Amino acid sequence: MKYISTRGESPAQTFTQILLGGLAPDGGLYMPETYPQISHDELASWQHFNYRELAFAVLSKFATDVPALDLRAMIDKTYTAAVYCNTRAGENAEDITPVRTLEPDLHILALSNGPTLAFKDVAMQLLGNLFEYALAKNNDSINILGATSGDTGSAAEYAMRGKRGIRVFMLSPLGKMSPFQTAQMFSLQDPNIFNLAVRGVFDDCQDIVKAVSNDLVFKAKYQIGAVNSINWARVAAQIIYYFKAYFAVAKKVGDAVSFAVPSGNFGNVCAGHVARMMGLPIRKLIVATNENDVLDEFFKSGRYAPRTETQHTSSPSMDISKASNFERFVFDVVGRDAAKIRELWSKVDRNQGIDFSGTPYFAKVKEFGFVSGRSSHADRMRTIREVYDRYGQMIDTHTADGFKVGREYAESGVPLVCLETALPAKFEEAIRQSLGRDPERPSAVESIEKLPQRFDTVENDVEAVKRFIVSHVHK
Ligand SMILES: *Cc1c(COP(=O)(O)O)cnc(C)c1O
């Protein structure tokens, strides 16, 4: 399996060649040259697989240049009940991503039982093991630099902690994260994890990361890398749980199932699209956004207009103005015409919109099973309450957005799976506002705020961050 760029002007690469990088040299995103096709018989042969077996079945179609034994060993190390231990009543940790049934044909897929209580762990934990493996093979090392307002940073740190050849420098705005998020990150004592609390806001952190990464000499000399959401291996790892959930809820193999996905950078639902293109019988892929509704607007009207302003909402991990994985989907929509993507993204990259309304492209979007909706703060408060009153289950704000929109598209006789992308314990304030009580905390993080914290404070200054990196790389 080779990977090609959506912009068509970079050479095809193998899975391990694109593993550690970000964008292709031509500015595009890597995509598999073709989608592996899973026949009905092969699909049926997977239906009783456990998570690790399923992960191997799916990933071995994509990571064709990783020896099977090595891939299996990494998967077996990644997807264990001990790592995905933050289960609730009715869930079996062995399932890794268990399904809870609320009523016939209405299900929740629990993707947040990993160490940071959010779905990003599922892909990031695998990435940690893949990175360590690939670096060891080449006797190489990497210094991951990132900025976080809470969620992505912690998933990256928990995935990379203790990994050989990897250091993580994670910038966060000093004093701006919730006490829980702060404790999650700053309580890590691993010597390869560096938390840099920047005297500034999140945008300052992001600007510093951009400035450092744009200094190509520094970047090359200090082997600066990233773990952003456009990494193909992250998308690939997310394909697995669409299969897992399908087998958990379909009455028989071949029946159609729909998925509702709380979306931001379009990575999660893009994995659903790939699963469908591989032959998984998915009827609808329901894209749910919050008030930042650039994706909802596209799926309703055919117009994609990146915003200049991002609203801060109570489902903060979906607060985006431009969806970084969206180019992958549009590549398929335009029939993989790279020249067309170059033309479209020359506009998107200048923050201009693209418009498919009334074109055959928009018909293609529908053919791929996509529908969408939007959810507001009031919607998510009400949905959290309804789900709690009716089913006795507490869901977080992001999951509530997906649940609200998913229900609008539910069809009788078609199982609907709502993806749970975070545990309510991560968003205590919103839960308190909706339910008037605190969410339960998994025992693993019961008193995390009391643990000793380790971090360094730095000025809001690119040179100060560079100096920090230099002095900690040479040690
Ligand atoms: C990242 C995230 C999302 C959005 O996922 P995308 O892959 O960016 O669309 C939704 N919910 C939570 C809790 C997240 O952390």
Side-chain angles (χ1 to χ4, degrees), residues 213-226:
S213 306
N214 287 340
D215 181 343
L216 298 181
V217 175
F218 185 88
K219 190 178 174 203
K221 183 165 179 201
Y222 292 100
Q223 293 166 296
I224 303 293

Side-chain angles (χ1 to χ4, degrees), residues 209-248:
V209 170
K210 272 187 208 149
V212 174
S213 306
N214 287 340
D215 181 343
L216 298 181
V217 175
F218 185 88
K219 190 178 174 203
K221 183 165 179 201
Y222 292 100
Q223 293 166 296
I224 303 293
V227 284
N228 39 37
S229 77
I230 56 146
N231 183 292
W232 169 257
R234 280 180 66 181
V235 177
Q238 290 168 178
I239 296 168
I240 302 159
Y241 52 69
Y242 284 89
F243 281 87
K244 187 77 167 72
Y246 177 84
F247 294 127

Side-chain angles (χ1 to χ4, degrees), residues 118-120 151 238 262-269 317-318 396 398 421-422 427:
F119 93 100
K120 289 190 177 67
D151 266 4
Q238 290 168 178
S263 295
N265 275 319
F266 207 74
N268 198 351
V269 74
S317 301
M318 293 156 66
D396 95 295
H398 305 76
T421 54
F427 301 96

Side-chain angles (χ1 to χ4, degrees), residues 89-111:
E91 294 179 355
N92 179 354
E94 278 297 340
D95 285 334
I96 309 300
T97 61
V99 168
R100 306 196 300 273
T101 297
L102 302 184
E103 55 183 72
D105 291 337
L106 182 60
H107 312 272
I108 288 187
L109 172 60
L111 300 176

